[in-house]
Amino acid sequence: MRVLIVNTAERTGGAAIAANRLLHALNHNGVEARMLVRDRKTDAHDVVSIPRSWKLKANFLWERGVIWLANNLSKKGIFQVDIANAGTDITAMDEFKQADVVHLHWVNQGFLSLNNLERILASGKPVVVTLHDQWYFTGICHYSGMCEKYRTRCEHCPMLKGSWDLARRVFDRKRAMYEGRNITFVGCSRWMADLACQSALTQGHTVTNIPNAIDVSVFTPMDKLESRRHHNLPTDKKLILFGAQRITDERKGFRYLAEACEHISKHHPTLPDHLGVIVLGGDAESVKEALPLPVYAVSYLSNEREIAQLYSAADLFVTPSLQDNLPNTIVEAMACGVPCVGFDVGGIPEMISHKQDGYVADYCDSIDFAQGIAWCLNDSRYADLSRAARESALATYGESAVAHRYLEVYQG
């Protein structure tokens, strides 16, 4: 069986990382898989890119420009939505023609347009769609927040200020495009799959859930002291790790981590003198002053072994996200034997077993988040939490387990 995985980027972003890992999982488990991207970063033999052209940049700018105009000339929130009005036709490429199954992942920001998606669906090939966010079953947004219009019909999107009803136009186009097609939607989490089932766009189609895969031989516990020395981190403190592609993205909830650290500094007197925070990702340096604890900023890492070593350097991974699907970061941390603390939202409570391999805090409750940090760092229970985190990752996210579940989907 030949499977073509399609994603905007090869390496950049959570969806790209997850799609790339699935590529390797499939190839390691008897499936002939290739990955087609717009933004290629490596010379991997099983990854191909669309032909380079000035049109690729133009597609991106044209889409952003239309959204900007529809948003009353405001840039605020224009990357929270995509209208897929420009893209590249991939159906003429040999990789597409040779594929038995087309597996779409995150294809936005000028990679594939609605017209391009229509051509893919009209080809008659089975299409599998992995839902890294909500875009495939809403009008234009990636995360709907409290809005539930997608259940019936998206219109007058609350994320845009202008009078142009882009959401209704795109929603209606998707509904017509999906009708009668052979599509299977796969949520990375049960939470995402449940949301998809509620959408008017997925009715009549199969919706299931399969978690993202991870190579547990790469993401594995490493010597903590050696890992800290490698990343120039202190060896005499307990270290919390927080990471995101953009630290300042409000959805990642950094302010709740700041509030939790303030609470710890005031109400857990034995912790602050021996506690530090590693901040990984874009804008890491900019948030140093926001925390009452020592901050160790680490710029974006792309090498997976380096990332695994950074996880191993930490005692705890924290993710105060306000809305998230199935964060790769939690899977990675757990595979490295690092307990996690997160809010009870999205797919996070499916990943963290409360007080077994981490702590699930009440939503948007920074005090409970602080309690979770203190609870996990207790010396008497830490070793058990660490062991349980690793075991959970092995059982749920290993390459073989995930690849075989997708093979069942491909075979119908």
Side-chain angles (χ1 to χ4, degrees):
M1 175 178 286
R2 293 179 175 179
V3 175
L4 182 65
I5 293 173
V6 185
N7 196 77
T8 299
E10 179 188 2
R11 293 282 187 175
T12 305
I17 292 169
N20 204 280
R21 288 175 180 167
L22 178 60
L23 171 72
H24 296 306
L26 293 173
N27 283 327
H28 293 162
N29 286 274
V31 178
E32 186 179 339
R34 301 196 78 184
M35 186 173 179
L36 175 62
V37 301
R38 183 191 67 189
D39 305 331
R40 190 179 184 186
K41 294 293 185 183
T42 74
D43 58 358
H45 71 280
D46 50 7
V47 178
V48 294
S49 63
I50 57 176
R52 304 308 300 171
S53 165
W54 62 269
K55 292 181 180 180
L56 301 185
K57 185 68 172 179
N59 289 342
F60 172 81
L61 293 175
W62 173 238
E63 182 180 39
R64 290 310 111 193
V66 172
I67 296 170
W68 175 69
L69 288 171
N71 201 30
N72 283 349
L73 309 186
S74 171
K75 293 181 180 179
K76 183 175 175 59
I78 67 169
F79 285 99
Q80 295 177 328
V81 301
D82 274 288
I83 59 174
N85 63 337
T88 301
D89 180 16
I90 65 171
T91 58
M93 297 183 68
D94 289 341
E95 289 78 15
F96 182 89
K97 293 177 180 179
Q98 294 165 4
D100 298 307
V101 176
V102 180
H103 191 159
L104 301 175
H105 288 254
W106 202 91
V107 296
N108 300 117
Q109 294 192 3
F111 179 30
L112 298 185
S113 68
L114 296 177
N115 286 337
N116 303 147
L117 290 171
E118 172 69 34
R119 283 177 174 269
I120 291 169
L121 294 172
S123 72
K125 293 178 184 287
V127 174
V128 176
V129 175
T130 288
L131 304 169
H132 295 283
D133 56 33
Q134 294 177 252
W135 185 81
Y136 282 103
F137 62 87
T138 66
I140 60 177
C141 71
H142 291 281
Y143 284 96
S144 64
M146 301 301 292
C147 178
E148 296 183 343
K149 292 182 179 180
Y150 65 89
R151 291 187 175 194
T152 52
R153 188 192 196 191
C154 286
E155 56 185 358
H156 304 298
C157 180
M159 293 187 182
L160 297 182
K161 300 177 181 178
S163 58
W164 295 8
D165 201 350
L166 294 178
R168 184 173 64 183
R169 188 181 309 172
V170 176
F171 190 90
D172 289 349
R173 179 70 189 282
K174 287 180 181 177
R175 193 202 300 260
M177 186 169 62
Y178 292 168
E179 188 174 358
R181 306 297 194 190
N182 184 6
I183 311 172
T184 299
F185 294 94
V186 181
C188 298
S189 63
R190 290 191 298 274
W191 169 74
M192 186 61 72
D194 288 345
L195 292 181
C197 285
Q198 297 168 26
S199 172
L201 295 179
T202 62
Q203 303 312 302
H205 298 285
T206 299
V207 181
T208 187
N209 75 281
I210 301 174
N212 296 330
I214 190 170
D215 186 341
V216 293
S217 67
V218 174
F219 288 91
T220 187
M222 302 180 193
D223 182 84
K224 195 169 293 294
L225 289 179
E226 182 181 328
S227 298
R228 290 188 177 191
R229 292 188 185 106
H230 178 80
H231 287 284
N232 297 314
L233 296 168
T235 58
D236 60 345
K237 290 182 178 293
K238 292 183 177 180
L239 296 178
I240 300 168
L241 173 60
F242 168 74
Q245 189 172 353
R246 284 194 303 117
I247 303 298
T248 53
D249 182 349
E250 290 184 11
R251 189 170 57 86
K252 295 302 180 181
F254 176 79
R255 76 180 183 91
Y256 291 95
L257 174 60
E259 290 174 5
C261 289
E262 288 283 355
H263 184 82
I264 287 172
S265 67
K266 293 176 182 177
H267 301 283
H268 294 268
T270 61
L271 265 181
D273 290 342
H274 309 284
L275 192 60
V277 181
I278 307 168
V279 179
L280 169 67
D283 302 318
E285 288 284 350
S286 68
V287 299
K288 274 190 170 183
E289 303 302 318
L291 298 178
L293 300 171
V295 174
Y296 309 95
V298 179
S299 60
Y300 186 78
L301 299 175
S302 58
N303 182 279
E304 289 195 334
R305 181 169 176 79
E306 290 273 308
I307 297 170
Q309 199 167 32
L310 186 64
Y311 284 115
S312 293
D315 296 288
L316 188 66
F317 181 77
V318 295
T319 176
S321 289
L322 305 183
Q323 192 174 32
D324 227 327
N325 187 6
L326 195 92
N328 290 321
T329 49
I330 293 180
V331 181
E332 292 165 355
M334 292 177 68
C336 293
V338 179
C340 301
V341 177
F343 283 134
D344 186 3
V345 66
I348 291 173
E350 298 173 33
M351 307 174 77
I352 304 172
S353 297
H354 185 54
K355 292 190 173 182
Q356 294 180 37
D357 51 33
Y359 191 99
V360 180
D362 293 337
Y363 186 57
C364 290
D365 187 337
S366 55
I367 295 177
D368 195 30
F369 202 86
Q371 290 294 113
I373 291 172
W375 189 88
C376 288
L377 291 177
N378 183 287
D379 290 335
S380 65
R381 64 176 65 96
Y382 184 81
D384 290 337
L385 290 174
S386 177
R387 190 180 308 108
R390 172 69 177 173
E391 290 173 355
S392 178
L394 289 173
T396 308
Y397 309 108
E399 285 188 347
S400 179
V402 172
H404 282 92
R405 289 185 64 182
Y406 265 115
L407 186 57
E408 290 176 359
V409 171
Y410 298 152
Q411 293 173 337

